[in-house]
Amino acid sequence: QRQTNFVCHELAHFWSSGAVATGPENWINEGFAEFVSGRAVRALRGDSAYAAMETQWRARAARAGAVWTASATARPDANTSYGKAPLLLAALEQRIGTMMMDRLLQQFMTRPLRTTRAVLALVAELAGQDVADWFERQLIA
């Protein structure tokens, strides 16, 4: 499972490395790569392997602050980027469904989305403004 996660996470960076790595938007690079690798683990290794990843995300998220705020200037810490961010993306998938999340990920990976505002605009475009507003509230909590 760890090897599958590692390989899929690194491969996901091919599509999810557009944000400035040293700034507050880095959660996009790491959070999406971690979430996508989790989905791959679920598809390849099953629900129990994915549940183990979610448990790790939750443990890290418990030590994390906000994923992003409009006034942030620093890069999020590892607990935020590798724990809370993918956990929030998993919550988004629960809220909008797997098919809509597939569409969102396809659009995310084919558009040059480098900012949180651009990601939120994509969520609004595909799932509605209410969902985008909910997701933003989760990011800043």
Side-chain angles (χ1 to χ4, degrees):
Q1 172 189 325
R2 269 189 256 152
Q3 289 173 336
T4 301
N5 178 38
F6 174 76
V7 169
C8 291
H9 177 100
E10 295 307 321
L11 286 172
H13 276 306
F14 181 76
W15 296 282
S16 62
S17 294
V20 174
T22 58
E25 308 288 353
N26 189 55
W27 78 269
I28 296 169
N29 299 333
E30 299 303 342
F32 272 92
E34 189 66 12
F35 175 68
V36 167
S37 73
R39 290 178 106 224
V41 165
R42 183 173 55 201
L44 296 169
R45 303 280 184 199
D47 290 337
S48 63
Y50 180 74
M53 287 187 70
E54 279 192 318
T55 298
Q56 292 172 349
W57 294 343
R58 278 190 189 87
R60 292 189 96 160
R63 300 184 304 269
V67 172
W68 172 87
T69 65
S71 61
T73 58
R75 175 184 169 142
D77 68 16
N79 290 322
T80 302
S81 293
Y82 297 97
K84 191 171 181 181
L87 195 60
L88 292 180
L89 290 166
L92 178 61
E93 181 177 27
Q94 287 290 321
R95 191 171 188 92
I96 66 176
T98 301
M99 287 180 59
M100 181 65 70
M101 193 65 171
D102 288 344
R103 289 183 60 210
L104 190 143
L105 290 172
Q106 187 273 330
Q107 290 295 310
F108 171 79
M109 292 181 175
T110 58
R111 292 185 185 183
L113 301 178
R114 294 184 168 88
T115 67
T116 302
R117 289 285 176 216
V119 170
L120 291 169
L122 175 62
V123 173
E125 177 186 327
L126 296 177
Q129 191 60 51
D130 289 345
V131 174
D133 292 343
W134 170 85
F135 190 58
E136 183 174 4
R137 286 191 302 275
Q138 304 314 300
L139 293 172
I140 64 175

